[in-house]
Amino acid sequence: MISAATFHAVMGEIVVGTMVLATLCAVGCTVASLFPGMTGRLSSESMMSTMDKAALAGASLGLAFMPIAMLSGSFAADNAVTNALLYNKFVYSGLALGFWAAYVVGRVRFGPGVWQVRPLSALQGLTAVMAFLMTTMASSIGGKLVRDESLFDILPIWLPSDSATVLNPIISAVLLLLGIVALVVVFRLGPKAERISLD
């Protein structure tokens, strides 16, 4: 039987690997969409289709494995109740999950034609970059927890992660309920998104 730390390392590698693929392909689609004259073969129809499918597949696979990686990370961490790094890892993991979900939902609802509309293309690319930044932050905090070193140690800036504000469970429940209500309102009462035609 493998340890929780080993299992978490495997799940983390799957998530980060698929998210790197998704980010590179999404940024490639965005650059080809915004600067079609400067990108050459990158903006060809076959290359755009390949990058779009790879980005969607990578983001979807990463989303499927991210909750498993988050849970296995909590089991693998020591001092789970008192460690502020672990709280912040869950915050950044939640943000990454939200950004990646937004990327996938946007791509599925608008279809592959999303890359033909420049503002939506820029939004999709920015969403993928932000999602990958949050994923990298969560992974870096994991490195701090396990090995006391991080990918971001070489950078001159570091987002605060050594302290955390823990909310009262009642306030947390109210905020969760508010978020669920907001989602229901947006999806039920908001304008219907139509797939963008490739014509």
Side-chain angles (χ1 to χ4, degrees), residues 100-140:
W100 282 119
Y103 176 86
V104 170
V105 168
R107 166 54 185 81
V108 169
R109 291 185 81 182
F110 289 114
V114 70
W115 304 111
Q116 293 184 351
V117 180
R118 294 179 73 164
L120 289 177
S121 175
L123 181 61
Q124 282 291 97
L126 181 63
T127 302
V129 169
M130 289 300 296
F132 186 69
L133 177 62
M134 297 301 112
T135 305
T136 306
M137 282 297 302
S139 300
S140 296

Side-chain angles (χ1 to χ4, degrees), residues 7-195:
F7 183 74
H8 175 63
V10 171
M11 292 300 105
E13 295 300 326
I14 291 172
V15 168
V16 171
T18 56
M19 296 312 190
V20 167
L21 172 68
T23 304
L24 289 175
C25 290
V27 169
C29 285
T30 299
V31 170
S33 171
L34 296 178
F35 309 104
M38 299 171 56
T39 53
R41 188 168 178 268
L42 188 67
S43 58
S44 69
E45 188 176 331
S46 62
M47 183 65 81
M48 285 289 286
S49 176
T50 301
M51 289 190 301
D52 171 55
K53 290 175 183 174
L56 182 60
S60 300
L61 185 63
L63 269 177
F65 280 94
M66 194 177 288
I68 301 170
M70 290 168 67
L71 290 174
S72 63
S74 67
F75 290 123
D78 295 328
N79 302 320
V81 176
T82 59
N83 199 328
L85 285 173
L86 189 63
Y87 289 127
N88 288 322
K89 182 172 181 176
F90 266 95
V91 169
Y92 285 114
S93 296
L95 288 169
L97 195 64
F99 274 112
W100 282 119
Y103 176 86
V104 170
V105 168
R107 166 54 185 81
V108 169
R109 291 185 81 182
F110 289 114
V114 70
W115 304 111
Q116 293 184 351
V117 180
R118 294 179 73 164
L120 289 177
S121 175
L123 181 61
Q124 282 291 97
L126 181 63
T127 302
V129 169
M130 289 300 296
F132 186 69
L133 177 62
M134 297 301 112
T135 305
T136 306
M137 282 297 302
S139 300
S140 296
I141 291 173
K144 281 282 191 188
L145 283 167
V146 177
R147 294 176 298 279
D148 197 32
E149 61 183 6
S150 164
L151 173 67
F152 285 176
D153 286 344
I154 60 173
L155 299 178
I157 59 168
W158 173 251
L159 295 176
S161 60
D162 294 332
S163 61
T165 301
V166 181
L167 295 177
N168 182 299
I170 294 173
I171 296 173
S172 297
V174 169
L175 289 174
L176 178 63
L177 184 62
L178 184 64
I180 293 170
V181 169
L183 280 174
V184 170
V185 167
V186 166
F187 282 110
R188 298 294 257 172
L189 303 178
K192 302 295 181 195
E194 296 180 9
R195 289 178 71 84

